[in-house]
Amino acid sequence: MTDAAIYEQGYRSYGGERTGVGGAIRTLVAHSARAVLGIGRSARHKVMPVAVILMAYTPAAVFLGVAALLPNEIEGEVLPSYAGYYGFVSAALLLFASFVAPELLCTDRRTGMLGVYLASPLDRRTYLLGKTLAIGSILAVVTIGPPLVLLIGLWLADSGPDGLGDGLQLAWRIILSGAVMSAFYAAISMAVSAATDRKGAATATIIGLFFGSLAISNAVVEAGDQSELYRLADLVSLPFELTSRIHGEEGDWASRDISTGLIWLTVLGIIVGCGLFVWDRYRRMLVRR
Amino acid sequence: MAAMTTVAREHGTALVAADGVMKRYGSFTVLTGVDFVIGGGITGLLGANGTGKTTLLGMMLGLHPTDGGSLRVLGIDPYTAGAEVRARLGYAPEHHTLPPDVKASDFVRHVAELHGLPKREATTRASDALWLVGLGEERFRPLGTMSTGQRQRVKLAQAIAHDPSLVLLDEPTDGLDPVQRDDMLALIRRVATEYGIDVVLSSHLLDEVQQICDGAVIIGDGRVLASGSLEELRGGGSDIVVELEDAATVQPVVAGLQARDIAVTVDGRLLVATGQDDRVFDIARDVCAHAGAGITRLSRRRLSLEDVFLETTS
């Protein structure tokens, strides 16, 4: 028995299959997700994602506990609706939305990683596709995950929807509304992150944009006595309102004569507009090499 | 089209072939029509700062289109088939800023995966590449804690980990002290000679190109000023240097050479006779013998790369 070990094996050529552009995109998505969740990074990088995930999932755990303890007759009065669940986790959603895209986009530009990516099989288009998938998927952890956990938990506790059909329909609504919400937050936060290399500035701008739009929209409609349609500019309430409509519930704007179609159009318009802005910024961007 | 010179140690396949390549940014023309062919071995892309070396590397990577002419890398148009070309290239950028909190092994593995290696293979090869560049013991350190020299090595490791056909290195010794610089040059030489990966090295430092390159492309004023193997560029095969023992014999030797229609320039006891064939050697020997002049040196004249650079840029 010897302690000898070979550390340098010499240079070996590689003759195996290469995964191509698809593989590069998958790698980018996985690496980005690890970076945001702090996996393989120091403890301080884990604080924010862990805190946000706790904030997003704790209410679901509490509601499941309540459902297990309370009789079926009164649990309906205590538990929120699936669309209403987002009201409990709105802070976590906004916090995550303001953190993820700046972490992934601004950091790549500041550290020169964008140049490294563009020297790989990725180009600007596929790079942005990978980053969009990464940001959307990570946001989905808090937009789709918690209500889905709640649904599955309630179902297992015999407090969920009646029958498989109702359950699947509800799951579909949760996934659709969560996906739209992820796309909405991803689009806005990516647009802001594409406009500045400074991560902190991007985060502050995203938070400012959300709460600024809420304040201005309320002021215009209520103090300025303007049309209720100005509420569509309220970026905080807009995705929650759409989620309510997807779940077939009356949202806060139901009495204000704002149609579901108009809300869909506004949300999709914002997503497409932000997407075009991001693409235009990256298309023209001078990459440091 | 200007005559193209193949810059190559091996003349088999052209790794990079530029034919009248032009590049403009707005009204500013960076490249006015460059022609060269790069073959195997290590080729230096030489030029002062701002002469378009990085632009040319970017075009080889397929990141910018040409505004005229044609460029082929590994036989492929890099702009129209960028992903295919870049999968077979390694690239080490000039800048030193890398993600500070990412471990060297994770960074190299990630770049190898981006170039198409499966995860397990990328992990093994990342570790191997870091050992090969001398960072085996440091491979789990975050990049932000590494010195400039170590980061240059990490950049080289990520450029070779996926077994590219050609590696493009942009100013690989930038920011290194003389010892680190020599180590890095030795490593690059090893990449080409031991690992069999051809290298294009962009640099504005003539002596490092002279030290390790097999050939060079000298760029200035948006065009190729000279290109070829280092032997060709430094004048191998042209002009004869005759160094005489005694200054008193210079005049009769010069007269003898001129009488045989050979142009001569004189610098003290040093004579430079113009002529490329071996006949000039014989004539110089005979003239010296006839004049009773002792010869200290009789050889082909060799320029330094600096002489070549100054001649071509002046």
Side-chain angles (χ1 to χ4, degrees):
Chain A
M1 183 76 182
T2 171
D3 290 335
I6 298 171
Y7 289 111
E8 186 178 322
Q9 301 177 38
Y11 192 81
R12 296 169 296 118
S13 60
Y14 175 73
E17 286 285 308
R18 293 194 186 248
T19 55
V21 177
I25 294 173
R26 284 194 297 276
T27 301
L28 179 65
V29 173
H31 183 80
S32 301
R34 283 171 56 89
V36 164
L37 298 175
I39 299 168
R41 302 175 77 187
S42 58
R44 72 186 173 90
H45 292 102
K46 295 177 174 65
V47 173
M48 172 68 95
V50 168
V52 168
I53 288 169
L54 280 177
M55 284 165 72
Y57 283 85
T58 301
V62 170
F63 292 134
L64 285 174
V66 168
L69 294 173
L70 293 180
N72 281 354
E73 301 81 61
I74 60 166
E75 73 182 24
E77 294 168 22
V78 178
L79 296 182
S81 67
Y82 289 96
Y85 183 87
Y86 291 112
F88 292 91
V89 297
S90 56
L93 291 176
L94 292 176
L95 208 57
F96 218 29
S98 67
F99 159 74
V100 173
E103 178 68 30
L104 293 184
L105 295 184
C106 302
T107 305
D108 277 358
R109 296 202 301 275
R110 278 180 78 88
T111 61
M113 269 309 281
L114 182 58
V116 174
Y117 283 127
L118 296 184
S120 79
L122 296 171
D123 57 21
R124 290 168 198 247
R125 188 176 52 85
T126 46
Y127 167 81
L128 279 178
L129 175 64
K131 285 291 175 182
T132 305
L133 287 173
I135 293 167
S137 312
I138 295 160
L139 290 174
V141 170
V142 292
T143 59
I144 299 176
L148 209 55
V149 165
L150 188 62
L151 171 66
I152 294 167
L154 290 175
W155 210 350
L156 292 174
D158 255 355
S159 303
D162 298 327
L164 185 65
D166 284 356
L168 288 176
Q169 190 185 36
L170 200 48
W172 161 245
R173 285 177 171 174
I174 287 171
I175 291 167
L176 176 64
S177 55
V180 172
M181 204 178 261
S182 291
F184 178 79
Y185 288 132
I188 292 174
S189 58
M190 284 178 76
V192 174
S193 303
T196 173
D197 285 356
R198 299 177 70 86
K199 204 164 62 175
T203 297
T205 305
I206 293 165
I207 293 173
L209 194 63
F210 277 110
F211 287 105
S213 71
L214 170 68
I216 291 169
S217 160
N218 275 342
V220 167
V221 174
E222 285 166 18
D225 205 19
Q226 297 295 313
S227 163
E228 290 285 346
L229 291 177
Y230 283 106
R231 291 197 185 277
L232 290 167
D234 171 359
L235 299 177
V236 173
S237 308
L238 183 64
F240 297 140
E241 185 66 24
L242 181 60
T243 301
S244 297
R245 307 285 176 111
I246 290 172
H247 281 273
E249 297 171 12
E250 284 200 353
D252 293 343
W253 296 353
S255 59
R256 301 179 195 273
D257 208 19
I258 301 174
S259 73
T260 302
L262 198 55
I263 294 172
W264 265 111
L265 207 63
T266 308
V267 168
L268 294 178
I270 289 171
I271 292 171
V272 171
C274 288
L276 290 174
F277 175 77
V278 172
W279 170 241
D280 189 57
R281 289 285 299 179
Y282 271 81
R283 192 172 57 84
R284 296 162 186 266
M285 196 173 282
L286 211 57
V287 178
R288 186 157 52 102
R289 277 189 298 278
Chain B
M1 188 190 91
M4 283 192 270
T5 309
T6 302
V7 185
R9 181 158 50 85
E10 297 152 14
H11 292 264
T13 313
L15 296 172
V16 183
D19 182 2
V21 170
M22 297 176 70
K23 185 66 198 170
R24 281 187 290 269
Y25 289 111
S27 60
F28 179 65
T29 303
V30 183
L31 301 171
T32 56
V34 298
D35 305 308
F36 61 84
V37 176
I38 293 176
I42 306 177
T43 303
L45 197 56
L46 262 176
N49 286 327
T51 49
K53 300 189 298 293
T54 300
T55 297
L56 199 49
L57 288 183
M59 291 165 81
M60 289 180 197
L61 286 163
L63 304 178
H64 323 294
T66 59
D67 291 323
S70 103
L71 179 69
R72 298 191 85 76
V73 177
L74 305 172
I76 304 167
D77 179 345
Y79 191 67
T80 55
E84 190 186 341
V85 170
R86 289 192 295 273
R88 296 167 62 192
L89 294 184
Y91 172 66
E94 181 179 1
H95 65 79
H96 308 308
T97 47
L98 295 170
D101 52 341
V102 176
K103 291 173 193 152
S105 56
D106 288 345
F107 174 68
V108 177
R109 189 202 65 216
H110 180 45
V111 177
E113 281 187 82
L114 286 169
H115 283 84
L117 265 58
K119 187 170 186 177
R120 182 173 294 180
E121 188 71 26
T123 305
T124 310
R125 294 186 66 93
S127 180
D128 289 351
L130 286 164
W131 275 104
L132 290 169
V133 300
L135 290 176
E137 303 283 0
E138 315 287 336
R139 65 191 187 281
F140 298 122
R141 267 178 61 185
L143 295 168
T145 66
M146 290 187 159
S147 67
T148 304
Q150 288 171 322
R151 268 183 265 175
Q152 287 284 27
R153 284 167 182 260
V154 171
K155 286 195 288 178
L156 182 62
Q158 61 84 30
I160 63 170
H162 61 280
D163 189 24
S165 304
L166 174 66
V167 168
L168 310 178
L169 306 176
D170 199 354
E171 305 280 1
T173 59
D174 190 35
L176 303 185
D177 65 37
V179 175
Q180 290 175 326
R181 184 176 150 275
D182 284 348
D183 288 347
M184 176 56 82
L185 292 177
L187 256 176
I188 295 169
R189 187 79 219 164
R190 213 175 144 200
V191 166
T193 55
E194 288 182 34
Y195 313 159
I197 302 173
D198 298 310
V199 177
V200 172
L201 177 156
S202 155
S203 178
H204 63 282
L205 301 173
L206 299 165
D207 56 339
E208 73 181 31
V209 170
Q210 190 162 286
Q211 196 175 328
I212 64 162
C213 289
D214 302 301
V217 176
I218 301 175
I219 297 177
D221 297 332
R223 60 196 173 89
V224 173
L225 301 174
S227 70
S229 70
L230 241 52
E231 280 295 307
E232 290 164 359
L233 288 172
R234 294 172 64 195
S238 68
D239 296 353
I240 306 296
V241 177
V242 185
E243 191 176 356
L244 301 174
E245 274 182 359
D246 186 355
T249 59
V250 167
Q251 199 50 48
V253 170
V254 169
L257 288 170
Q258 286 172 339
R260 307 285 289 270
D261 291 333
I262 294 171
V264 185
T265 54
V266 181
D267 181 9
R269 291 183 294 111
L270 208 65
L271 280 57
V272 178
T274 305
Q276 296 202 6
D277 56 39
D278 289 343
R279 195 179 62 89
V280 182
F281 270 108
D282 297 337
I283 293 171
R285 181 200 61 210
D286 294 346
V287 167
C288 288
H290 184 71
I295 299 172
T296 307
R297 176 158 65 109
L298 178 61
S299 65
R300 293 197 188 280
R301 181 186 179 219
R302 295 180 65 77
L303 298 172
S304 69
L305 210 50
E306 187 175 355
D307 295 331
V308 176
F309 190 77
L310 291 173
E311 271 184 20
T312 53
T313 52
S314 61

